[in-house]
Amino acid sequence: MPYCELGTCPYDKSHRIMIFRMPKHIVKCAKNYRGPPLQICKYNATHRVLDMEEHLKECDYYLRSIENQAVQMALSSRIPPVQENGHDVDTPL
């Protein structure tokens, strides 16, 4: 059997689930959950946590989102090349 990454069910820490099956498992397991309410991470809905602020410090999906936003902002605010005599400085004549 090929290697499949396992994750831990947020509703029952004794459940180790293949990541690709986690969404379906969470729906079933949440129905029987009797603990404190868990918040759903808006960057990955399979992340269910008590403290969202703490979670976001370590959430790879959130951190990648922030990184992507920074790149997009940098690209959108990029200063166009200076032109001399109607030609871009970087463009050969």
Side-chain angles (χ1 to χ4, degrees):
M1 183 170 164
Y3 169 79
C4 291
E5 186 178 353
L6 296 176
T8 303
C9 172
Y11 296 107
D12 186 335
K13 301 298 182 199
S14 69
H15 293 171
R16 299 284 290 155
I17 311 299
M18 287 183 265
I19 292 294
F20 74 92
R21 291 188 175 156
M22 188 65 75
K24 187 174 181 177
H25 174 83
I26 284 177
V27 170
K28 289 179 9 181
C29 213
K31 293 176 183 175
N32 301 319
Y33 179 68
R34 300 290 175 248
L38 299 180
Q39 298 176 33
I40 300 172
C41 175
K42 72 178 190 177
Y43 299 94
N44 183 330
T46 65
H47 295 173
R48 311 288 170 101
V49 298
L50 288 171
D51 185 343
M52 188 58 65
E53 191 173 321
E54 284 300 310
H55 169 71
L56 292 179
K57 291 177 184 176
E58 300 176 355
C59 177
D60 287 338
Y61 294 88
Y62 170 71
L63 298 173
R64 275 189 249 146
S65 171
I66 295 300
E67 188 176 298
N68 287 341
Q69 287 175 7
V71 168
Q72 290 303 317
M73 285 174 53
L75 290 174
S76 67
S77 64
R78 187 173 159 245
I79 300 170
V82 176
Q83 292 193 346
E84 293 178 7
N85 299 328
H87 299 283
D88 290 345
V89 172
D90 296 335
T91 305
L93 298 176

